[in-house]
């Protein structure tokens, strides 16, 4: 079934892009919206260079759904996770033999040619059962070639035996029991190529988001024993120039109240969930809002900052962050919405992240 749909998907996407070229003919720019340049797409008519099936990469053991990497493919995790409608994720890096990444504290590592990054999105049937049954929905693949990254998305079949390349995006209904035993469901959105770039664009180029020093400075159980991820990759000669990584201003797990103070938890949340767009070289740079963890200027990260454009997205409120009053802060207002045109982030979710809203509201209410 997966293979049968591939030709249809490719033809569909070629038609979409061809029409897009004809209609637009040039770049377009919308205030507070990501800037998309059609010529940036690596996908050209008839030149899609990616395996049709996830299994064809030969990077994971069978059964593929075990998400068990083969030798030379390494898992990693982030200090703080991007919210995606409560989906869980597993991440993996592959580097060609004899190559290595170059460390950077704040930005994504410099990866060698031929690198691959895999990210699996899945839901446990019951979040209370750690060893229970999972349903994998999609696997996103980033490939670096000719000094550029290209994104591919693979959607899993119902049998959970393999995943097929889909370029046009798709909606998948999914349900689960949450940690309180309550039934939850969502029409999960697998992003299309343009939506991938909305979040992954930096200075007009598609780049990874997670593998940076500030995100990876944490322990991980690569074997039966945990070891710091930076040390692990350095010891394996997979990472260079990381000698001073302990001086990096590291993000924290915002979900853990014991991980740090309220300010650091809130700023970590905003960094991983919002700063891929809201940064000086991000797709929402025209907003003037910089939500990077490293930004020290309170005005630039929203305090008493008025938006560059008013509209429904402002909710009629004056400031992105109104200290002491989350109820009149645009940032909290947009996080607490699932309405297109208002909600932020504008893609990657359909549900409200209630725990995230509560954290940011508590932080704003604490500000003076």
């Amino acid at each position: 079934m997966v293979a049968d749909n591939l030709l249809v998907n490719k033809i569909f996407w070629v038609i979409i892009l061809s029409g897009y070229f004809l209609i637009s003919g040039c770049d377009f720019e919308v205030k507070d919206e990501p800037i998309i340049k059609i010529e940036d797409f690596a996908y050209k008519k008839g030149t899609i260079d990616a395996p049709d099936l996830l299994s064809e990469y030969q990077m994971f053991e069978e059964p593929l759904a075990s998400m068990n990497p083969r030798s030379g493919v390494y898992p990693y995790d982030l200090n703080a996770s991007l919210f995606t409608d409560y989906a869980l994720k597993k991440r993996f890096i592959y580097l060609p033999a004899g190559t290595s990444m170059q460390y950077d504290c704040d930005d994504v590592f410099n990866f060698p040619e031929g690198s691959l990054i895999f990210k699996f999105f899945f839901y446990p049937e019951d979040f209370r059962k750690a060893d229970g049954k999972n349903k994998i929905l999609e696997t996103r693949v980033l490939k670096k070639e000719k000094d550029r990254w290209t994104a591919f998305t693979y959607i899993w079949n119902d049998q959970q035996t393999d995943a097929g390349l889909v370029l046009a995006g798709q909606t998948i209904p999914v349900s689960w029991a949450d940690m309180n035993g309550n039934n939850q469901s969502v029409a999960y959105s697998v992003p299309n190529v343009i939506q991938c770039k909305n979040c992954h664009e930096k200075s007009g180029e598609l780049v990874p988001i997670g593998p940076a020093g500030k995100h990876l400075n944490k322990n991980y159980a690569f074997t039966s024993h945990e070891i710091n991820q930076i040390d692990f990759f350095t010891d394996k000669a997979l990472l260079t120039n990381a000698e001073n990584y302990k001086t990096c201003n590291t993000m924290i797990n915002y979900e853990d109240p014991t991980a740090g103070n309220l300010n650091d938890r809130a700023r970590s949340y905003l960094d991983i969930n919002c700063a891929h767009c809201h940064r000086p070289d991000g797709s929402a740079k025209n907003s003037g809002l910089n939500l990077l963890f490293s930004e020290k200027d309170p005005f630039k990260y929203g305090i008493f900052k008025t938006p560059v454009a008013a509209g429904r997205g402002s909710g009629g409120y004056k400031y992105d962050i109104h200290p002491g009053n989350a109820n009149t802060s645009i940032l909290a207002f947009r996080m607490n919405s699932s309405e297109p045109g208002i909600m932020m982030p504008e893609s990657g979710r359909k549900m409200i992240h209630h725990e995230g809203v509560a954290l940011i509201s508590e932080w704003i209410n604490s500000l003076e």
Side-chain angles (χ1 to χ4, degrees):
M1 182 63 74
V2 168
D4 293 342
N5 291 330
L6 292 176
L7 179 60
V8 174
N9 273 300
K10 287 186 176 180
I11 292 174
F12 173 82
W13 190 249
V14 167
I15 293 172
I16 291 295
L17 281 184
S18 299
Y20 204 21
F21 276 111
L22 291 171
I23 293 170
S24 60
C26 60
D27 301 347
F28 66 87
E29 179 174 338
V30 179
K31 287 184 177 180
D32 290 329
E33 298 288 334
I35 300 171
I36 306 297
K37 295 181 179 180
I38 297 302
E39 60 267 33
D40 288 338
F41 286 111
Y43 312 105
K44 304 296 183 184
K45 184 176 181 179
T47 61
I48 297 172
D49 182 20
D52 287 339
L53 298 173
L54 181 63
S55 59
E56 294 176 25
Y57 285 94
Q58 300 184 11
M59 293 290 171
F60 298 91
E61 303 285 355
E62 294 289 347
L64 204 60
S66 66
M67 297 180 278
N68 184 22
R70 290 183 171 172
S71 177
V73 182
Y74 299 94
Y76 69 98
D77 196 15
L78 306 182
N79 288 310
S81 181
L82 175 69
F83 174 74
T84 316
D85 285 339
Y86 295 99
L88 301 185
K89 301 160 192 169
K90 286 192 176 182
R91 306 168 178 84
F92 302 89
I93 289 173
Y94 163 79
L95 306 180
T99 65
S100 59
M101 306 172 284
Q102 188 170 354
Y103 177 83
D104 193 293
C105 169
D106 290 320
D107 280 329
V108 171
F109 299 159
N110 185 13
F111 281 74
E113 288 286 300
S115 296
L116 292 167
I117 298 175
F118 297 87
K119 185 157 69 172
F120 293 71
F121 292 72
F122 62 97
Y123 288 85
E125 283 187 346
D126 190 333
F127 274 65
R128 297 166 298 179
K129 300 178 180 177
D131 297 325
K133 186 177 180 180
N134 297 319
K135 180 177 182 180
I136 309 173
L137 300 187
E138 59 162 322
T139 300
R140 300 178 190 175
V141 181
L142 285 172
K143 176 183 180 182
K144 188 173 184 181
E145 199 169 50
K146 297 180 180 178
D147 203 31
R148 301 187 70 180
W149 288 96
T150 307
F152 304 103
T153 300
Y154 293 82
I155 295 181
W156 282 72
N157 59 23
D158 292 338
Q159 298 75 28
Q160 297 281 278
T161 55
D162 209 337
L165 179 65
V166 175
L167 301 178
Q170 191 167 313
T171 298
I172 305 173
V174 61
S175 60
W176 67 94
D178 65 19
M179 292 298 290
N180 296 317
N182 298 318
N183 293 326
Q184 304 285 351
S185 63
V186 68
Y188 180 90
S189 290
V190 177
N192 60 38
V193 177
I194 292 177
Q195 290 168 325
C196 285
K197 193 157 193 214
N198 283 352
C199 292
H200 284 270
E201 180 187 343
K202 180 185 176 187
S203 299
E205 295 287 335
L206 187 147
V207 297
I209 293 175
K214 65 180 180 181
H215 295 305
L216 267 64
N217 185 11
K218 62 173 290 187
N219 286 349
Y220 187 87
F222 291 94
T223 60
S224 57
H225 302 289
E226 289 192 353
I227 181 174
N228 183 283
Q229 295 181 122
I230 304 297
D231 288 333
F232 175 83
F233 287 122
T234 299
D235 292 345
K236 291 282 186 182
L238 299 172
L239 182 64
T240 61
N241 298 341
E243 294 82 3
N244 299 319
Y245 80 86
K246 292 182 180 178
T247 64
C248 179
N249 197 9
T250 300
M251 308 263 292
I252 63 173
N253 179 7
Y254 60 81
E255 297 177 283
D256 181 0
T258 68
N261 61 45
L262 178 59
N263 181 73
D264 287 350
R265 290 174 59 217
R267 295 293 307 279
S268 293
Y269 182 92
L270 294 175
D271 185 300
I272 193 64
N273 282 280
C274 311
H276 44 271
C277 292
H278 287 284
R279 56 188 295 164
D281 50 5
S283 59
K285 58 182 179 294
N286 290 348
S287 70
L289 185 64
N290 181 8
L291 294 175
L292 284 170
F293 189 72
S294 56
E295 178 56 64
K296 303 301 183 187
D297 186 338
F299 178 79
K300 290 183 178 178
Y301 62 74
I303 292 183
F304 288 125
K305 180 187 177 305
T306 55
V308 295
R312 285 199 315 135
S314 73
Y317 303 122
K318 188 175 181 179
Y319 302 116
D320 290 336
I321 295 176
H322 187 186
N325 200 333
N327 290 332
T328 57
S329 295
I330 296 172
L331 194 147
F333 167 72
R334 302 192 75 167
M335 285 179 60
N336 199 29
S337 174
S338 57
E339 182 177 345
I342 294 178
M343 71 176 192
M344 281 286 174
E346 62 184 1
S347 61
R349 71 171 177 93
K350 288 185 176 177
M351 304 178 76
I352 294 172
H353 188 197
H354 296 289
E355 296 82 359
V357 173
L359 171 63
I360 297 304
S361 296
E362 182 183 0
W363 173 61
I364 293 175
N365 288 334
S366 74
L367 300 173
E368 298 179 351

